[in-house]
Amino acid sequence: MSDRYIDFANSALGHRLVGALGLPSPVRLERWEAGRLRPVEGALLIGGGPLSQNVSAFANKLTEQIYSYGPEPLVAQAWIPGHGPKLKAVVFDASDLVQTDQLKQLREFFQPLMKNLDHSAHLVIFGRAPETLSDPFAASAQRALEGFSRSLAKELRSGGTLQLLYVGAGAEGQLEGALRFFLSPKSAYVSGQVVRLNTCDTQVQDWTRPLAGRTALVTGAARGIGASIAETLARDGAQVVLLDVPPAKTDLDALAARLGGHSITLDICAEDAAAQLIEQLPNGIDIVVHNAGITRDKTLANMTPEFWDAVLAVNLNAPQVLTKALLDSGTLHDNGRVILLASISGIAGNRGQTNYAASKAGLIGLAQAWAPLLGARGISINAVAPGFIETQMTARIPFALREAGRRMSSLGQGGLPQDVAEAVAWLAQPGSGAVSGQALRVCGQSVLGA
């Protein structure tokens, strides 16, 4: 669905008028395109503490233009404010900031960069998870990074994004995989997020096809976000198994044929759904993406039992039952990946969606509760929480509410199904077992929630 306001705001006349009236001025985001060779196409700046040394060791795999900035340059090319190139990507290690007076390094490093960022620049800050630190002052300083990063993300312009990665002890080997996502257009609609990286024994072997040799099941795959997820997983090398309800069989079969996968038509709420599913997966799977979901919106005063029950059954109970069956039967292999499609409604709530928000919050709770139990088998489980995504469903929202949903984010626009799919594909990678029990928002840093 076309966003006519963005088209207008980026026209010659619209740009002048929007600026004169002080209206939102969203830009077209840069997204990943087929044939791209490197995560960063432009200048990468590295600075800060000891983890920046780890980044400099593989930086040439991210881009050919590598610069350092600070009192002790990490690489030969020093970046000079106002004289160096526009920056496409920035990494700053703040993990060694343990006192309040050291936090001034954040201002000293980032302030000169703010007017020297390229279009759709991606920034990442490293820290240490406060709950892992025994020194209260150090924990306080590291927790301060969250307020700084979320606020700075809202000050970025021209499609810029910023994330905070808390890097656990021994997780340094997973930095490349995380930066390949967060410094690239694959994370175009992810901003202001806090992600915890922990240790993981598995690694990506081929970055051109990071999911090669793995089989992925996607529910609700016939159209919309589910179809985009299936396409992206297949692009990254996965063999895809697509599942949807019987009425969607024609679209499902056509997509499966195009992607070289196979389809399963199944009512996931049926009593024997788990048994049917396992029977149709004789070789097992490595990835399961619970994308299937429905809405039945009504204020609670007008909510019928049928509306309540249907949403909870499809959105929450089915993923619980099916995942447990896949685990208990061994159909989901060790070192597998489980991704649950939640929503920012499950984080911030939404009027008229008590049933939907409850189901999506339940998925986030499921990921948090199951993560430590599944970790023994090397299995990760995470939730992806989309915000306003341009789909057929959001196209039916009344105009005023649709425009509000688009503009109420730092990026000032709705996301695309591809944005959700890229986040799912990253969490599905072998090395992304470093992330588990977390909810990653794909919402352009929506003002709703945290």
Side-chain angles (χ1 to χ4, degrees):
M1 180 173 56
S2 175
D3 184 339
R4 294 182 179 178
Y5 182 81
I6 285 186
D7 295 338
F8 174 72
N10 285 276
S11 67
L13 173 62
H15 182 73
R16 292 195 298 271
L17 184 60
V18 163
L21 297 177
L23 296 173
S25 184
V27 301
R28 294 185 182 89
L29 302 179
E30 178 186 349
R31 291 181 167 89
W32 189 268
E33 295 181 354
R36 185 178 176 121
L37 299 178
R38 292 178 180 268
V40 179
E41 291 187 346
L44 165 63
L45 181 66
I46 307 170
L51 291 177
S52 57
Q53 298 282 357
N54 296 78
V55 177
S56 65
F58 60 77
N60 62 343
K61 298 179 182 179
L62 305 178
T63 182
E64 295 179 345
Q65 302 179 52
I66 307 165
Y67 295 83
S68 62
Y69 176 60
E72 298 180 8
L74 298 169
V75 295
Q77 293 190 88
W79 184 81
I80 302 174
H83 298 280
K86 291 283 187 179
L87 300 172
K88 197 69 172 181
V90 177
V91 176
F92 180 74
D93 176 26
S95 65
D96 60 348
L97 306 185
V98 295
Q99 298 289 336
T100 298
D101 61 354
Q102 293 179 319
L103 293 173
K104 65 184 179 182
Q105 294 180 32
L106 296 169
R107 180 188 61 78
E108 292 169 349
F109 181 85
F110 283 100
Q111 190 176 61
L113 313 185
M114 298 308 292
K115 295 182 179 180
N116 292 277
L117 296 176
D118 205 346
H119 175 271
S120 290
H122 300 291
L123 288 64
V124 170
I125 298 173
F126 293 151
R128 300 292 188 187
E131 65 271 16
T132 66
L133 304 176
S134 58
D135 181 352
F137 288 1
S140 173
Q142 289 296 300
R143 183 61 177 79
L145 299 179
E146 295 191 28
F148 176 83
S149 63
R150 292 188 195 277
S151 296
L152 185 58
K154 293 181 176 180
E155 296 181 11
L156 299 178
R157 296 291 181 265
S158 299
T161 69
L162 186 150
Q163 329 295 337
L164 170 62
L165 303 186
Y166 281 136
V167 183
E172 293 81 3
Q174 303 304 330
L175 292 178
E176 181 179 352
L179 292 182
R180 281 179 173 272
F181 176 67
F182 287 116
L183 293 183
S184 82
K186 292 182 178 180
S187 63
Y189 202 59
V190 180
S191 192
Q193 298 304 290
V194 179
V195 177
R196 286 164 167 78
L197 291 181
N198 295 302
T199 57
C200 177
D201 294 332
T202 55
Q203 298 278 358
V204 171
Q205 300 302 314
D206 179 2
W207 287 112
T208 64
R209 290 170 57 82
L211 300 180
R214 299 172 75 81
T215 300
L217 169 68
V218 183
T219 70
R223 59 183 66 87
I225 291 175
S228 186
I229 290 171
E231 291 169 348
T232 304
L233 296 179
R235 177 204 69 189
D236 285 355
Q239 181 72 24
V240 291
V241 180
L242 312 183
L243 184 153
D244 216 313
V245 293
K249 179 175 173 54
T250 300
D251 290 341
L252 190 70
D253 289 347
L255 180 61
R258 181 162 62 83
L259 299 180
H262 74 271
S263 61
I264 298 174
T265 53
L266 179 67
D267 177 1
I268 59 175
C269 294
E271 289 188 10
D272 63 344
Q276 288 189 58
L277 180 59
I278 291 169
E279 183 180 354
Q280 297 193 60
L281 298 171
N283 298 319
I285 56 174
D286 305 288
I287 302 159
V288 57
V289 182
H290 288 291
N291 167 74
I294 62 172
T295 57
R296 297 291 186 271
D297 295 354
K298 288 287 184 182
T299 59
L300 189 60
N302 299 311
M303 180 74 66
T304 65
E306 293 77 17
F307 274 23
W308 180 275
D309 292 345
V311 169
L312 270 294
V314 174
N315 295 4
L316 182 56
N317 189 64
Q320 291 174 338
V321 170
L322 295 181
T323 303
K324 187 175 188 304
L326 292 170
L327 290 166
D328 292 346
S329 64
T331 304
L332 180 62
H333 299 151
D334 288 355
N335 297 313
R337 302 286 174 259
V338 181
I339 299 103
L340 309 165
L341 264 291
S343 168
I344 62 168
S345 291
I347 297 172
N350 198 17
R351 187 180 187 277
Q353 289 194 323
T354 53
N355 52 356
Y356 183 77
S359 70
K360 295 304 185 178
L363 291 177
I364 295 172
L366 185 66
Q368 293 172 335
W370 235 335
L373 303 175
L374 301 184
R377 293 176 53 183
I379 297 173
S380 69
I381 179 169
N382 294 285
V384 171
F388 186 96
I389 305 297
E390 303 282 359
T391 63
Q392 291 180 350
M393 183 180 71
T394 55
R396 294 192 294 268
I397 296 174
F399 174 79
L401 292 177
R402 186 167 68 245
E403 280 302 298
R406 285 169 166 163
R407 308 308 161 209
M408 291 175 64
S409 74
S410 297
L411 295 174
Q413 60 196 282
L416 301 180
Q418 178 190 352
D419 299 322
V420 181
E422 297 287 9
V424 170
W426 174 61
L427 289 171
Q429 291 179 6
S432 293
V435 180
S436 194
Q438 300 180 50
L440 178 64
R441 291 178 55 157
V442 183
C443 63
Q445 200 181 22
S446 170
V447 299
L448 299 174

